[in-house]
Amino acid sequence: MSTFAIIVSLILLILLAYRGLTVLLLAPLMAALAVILSGDAAYLLPIYTNTFMGALGNFTIQFFPLFFLGALFGQLMSDSGAAQTIANAIVNKLGTQHVVLTVVMACAILTYGGVSLFVVAFAIYPISRELFYRTDIPKRLIPGTIALGSFTFTMTALPGTPAIQNAIPIPYYETNSFAAPGLGIIAGLIMLGLGMLYLLLQVKRAAANAEGYGQHKEQETVDLDTSSPTPDMPLILAIAPLCMVIGLNALFTYFIFPSLDLSFISDEFEGVTPSRQTGLWAVLIALLSASTWLVISRWRDWTDLKSTVNKGCFDSLSPIFNTASVVGYGAVIAGLSGFTAIRDAVLNAFPGNPLISEAMAMSVLSGLTGSSSGGLSIALETLGSEYLAMALEAGIDPELMHRVATLAAGGMDTLPHSGAVITLLTICGLTHRQSYGHVAMVTIVLPVAALISVIALGTLFGSF
């Protein structure tokens, strides 16, 4: 009965989230439903106040600074004109002959530099719309093009990416954001290469059928030189903060923190192990430094810095609490007797290969929650220590476990009920029927192919 309760609550969570209800409400309600159907109604209130809110609070304490600084940095990049400058530079360099590549690379550079994928979608859509309209490429391909550059290889594969998905495994596996860099690059190339091939084939097919841009409510053409809130920004200044995010992250991860004796921290703060935190600290320092650079370097050009800072800070609240609520839901589910059967089934599916077992768990939970960060957090919160023990016993490098976890979480997280998918389609003014198939191909099918390749290479050659 408990297993049945979990399945029912998960299905309702997906269906109601697909209809637009916020997980801030759905997560505690569906957790309560699972508890009641499991026959544990007498413990409902303590489960909510202790288990649900405890897990929500722990996740918020650990990752709020990353969400906070990430959202602030993204808003500063957008309002300073840096994001627009970089996008326009790519357009001017590649021209309209390579429209799909232009949009993909613009999104990739911005997201790899730490700009929120939501900010990127809003910033790049007007440019992509104009490019697709000018070259008579179907508008229905825009969401898939933006998704390839924003939701895939820069989020889960490329080493050093400041994406939250790449940071969540750090404290569980005692790794850093550059875990298994060689395998990450290979996975990224698979996603980018096959994704570009798929999209270009769709463009060619549409041209052969004389489909064109299509008839849409808005047939506007957008000036590619869309003015930013601030004066034009030199390209070198626009790129500098992105280089700082990647460079400082690597500097602190590989050189500064390893050279320091941080044992005094454990003496002063009980329960804090520096080796499990330095990877996260490096990302925070990089984002804070880059944000400070943006403010200072554009000091005389800001039209309303206060509004930019406030908006960036407030924009971090919804993502962190949405994700934390899903983590709280997962903690409640993990405490039910039915979860033990589900967990054992996942763990025992491939007992000889923790990589495959881990990939299945991350994929299933990310798919069910419609969130890569939410699914990743649930899986590692409940199974992280077991996976680490299994990996060490099997002689598998924790860095390989880290990379497989992030890749798996980013494969099934964009099912139709995904918030990121719904937001992207809304920005583009398109429906699931018009564009979701292309989004699914580049964000589910191809990332799963990359995941399988990494597992195979990691099994044969280890982590590199």
Side-chain angles (χ1 to χ4, degrees):
M1 189 62 187
S2 182
T3 302
F4 172 76
I6 292 173
I7 295 173
V8 169
S9 70
L10 284 172
I11 292 175
L12 287 175
L13 176 62
I14 293 172
L15 293 177
L16 294 175
Y18 180 78
R19 291 181 175 273
L21 292 177
T22 175
V23 295
L24 289 175
L25 176 64
L26 286 178
L29 286 181
M30 293 304 103
L33 177 63
V35 171
I36 293 171
L37 292 179
S38 295
D40 296 323
Y43 304 103
L44 181 60
L45 289 178
I47 286 176
Y48 173 74
T49 55
N50 288 51
T51 305
F52 183 90
M53 291 304 299
L56 183 151
N58 289 336
F59 180 87
T60 304
I61 290 171
Q62 188 166 19
F63 291 109
F64 178 71
L66 188 59
F67 278 79
F68 178 81
L69 289 177
L72 175 60
F73 175 69
Q75 196 63 48
L76 289 170
M77 282 290 295
S78 178
D79 288 358
S80 69
Q84 188 70 36
T85 296
I86 293 172
N88 286 339
I90 296 175
V91 170
N92 294 334
K93 182 68 174 178
L94 297 179
T96 57
Q97 296 85 359
H98 306 283
V99 170
V100 174
L101 180 61
T102 296
V103 175
V104 170
M105 293 308 299
C107 294
I109 290 175
L110 295 175
T111 51
Y112 191 43
V115 182
S116 165
L117 60 88
F118 297 107
V119 173
V120 170
F122 277 110
I124 297 301
Y125 169 63
I127 298 174
S128 60
R129 179 181 57 193
E130 169 64 11
L131 288 173
F132 277 55
Y133 180 73
R134 283 187 185 182
T135 53
D136 213 22
I137 296 175
K139 183 185 178 183
R140 61 184 175 82
L141 296 177
I142 291 179
T145 304
I146 294 177
L148 176 61
S150 303
F151 297 3
T152 59
F153 58 97
T154 59
M155 186 177 77
T156 62
L158 296 187
T161 176
I164 185 64
Q165 292 81 1
N166 194 38
I168 290 174
I170 290 174
Y172 298 99
Y173 292 139
E174 299 184 18
T175 52
N176 56 63
S177 61
F178 291 87
L183 290 171
I185 291 173
I186 291 174
L189 290 175
I190 291 174
M191 294 185 212
L192 175 60
L194 294 181
M196 283 298 305
L197 178 61
Y198 171 79
L199 291 173
L200 291 177
L201 286 175
Q202 296 303 310
V203 171
K204 184 177 180 181
R205 179 179 300 175
N209 295 332
E211 179 179 346
Y213 182 78
Q215 297 297 319
H216 302 279
K217 291 182 179 180
E218 87 313 353
Q219 287 293 348
E220 74 282 6
T221 56
V222 181
D223 184 358
L224 289 182
D225 294 323
T226 301
S227 59
S228 59
T230 55
D232 291 338
M233 188 178 197
L235 181 59
I236 187 65
L237 291 181
I239 294 177
L242 303 182
C243 295
M244 290 178 67
V245 170
I246 303 300
L248 288 176
N249 186 9
L251 180 65
F252 276 88
T253 296
Y254 284 116
F255 298 101
I256 295 182
F257 282 136
S259 67
L260 299 176
D261 181 9
L262 301 177
S263 59
F264 69 93
I265 295 179
S266 299
D267 297 334
E268 185 69 22
F269 296 92
E270 184 179 356
V272 175
T273 304
S275 62
R276 301 186 63 180
Q277 299 291 329
T278 53
L280 185 60
W281 293 344
V283 179
L284 297 180
I285 291 172
L287 286 172
L288 179 60
S289 300
S291 298
T292 303
W293 163 262
L294 276 168
V295 172
I296 294 175
S297 65
R298 301 289 285 169
W299 185 256
R300 295 184 178 180
D301 298 317
W302 290 105
T303 56
D304 193 351
L305 179 58
K306 180 180 70 174
S307 296
T308 295
V309 171
N310 286 345
K311 188 175 187 306
C313 294
F314 293 144
D315 283 352
S316 68
L317 299 180
S318 179
I320 182 65
F321 282 107
N322 279 331
T323 304
S325 293
V326 174
V327 172
Y329 169 82
V332 173
I333 296 300
L336 300 178
S337 59
F339 184 80
T340 303
I342 298 175
R343 182 192 63 187
D344 292 343
V346 172
L347 287 173
N348 296 326
F350 293 90
N353 194 329
L355 293 174
I356 298 178
S357 177
E358 179 190 49
M360 288 181 58
M362 305 301 170
S363 297
V364 169
L365 289 173
S366 294
L368 290 174
T369 61
S371 167
S372 55
S373 57
L376 191 63
S377 300
I378 292 172
L380 290 178
E381 186 70 25
T382 56
L383 304 172
S385 59
E386 295 182 54
Y387 279 132
L388 179 59
M390 291 169 61
L392 295 176
E393 183 178 353
I396 297 175
D397 191 334
E399 288 198 9
L400 179 56
M401 297 291 291
H402 174 131
R403 189 55 55 205
V404 167
T406 58
L407 289 171
M412 298 297 293
D413 62 317
T414 48
L415 293 176
H417 63 285
S418 167
V421 169
I422 294 173
T423 300
L424 177 59
L425 293 177
T426 301
I427 291 172
C428 296
L430 295 165
T431 65
H432 280 77
R433 178 176 297 179
Q434 290 172 307
S435 296
Y436 179 71
H438 305 300
V439 174
M441 176 59 72
V442 300
T443 64
I444 297 177
V445 177
L446 300 184
V448 169
L451 169 64
I452 293 172
S453 300
V454 167
I455 292 176
L457 290 172
T459 301
L460 292 173
F461 305 108
S463 178
F464 59 90

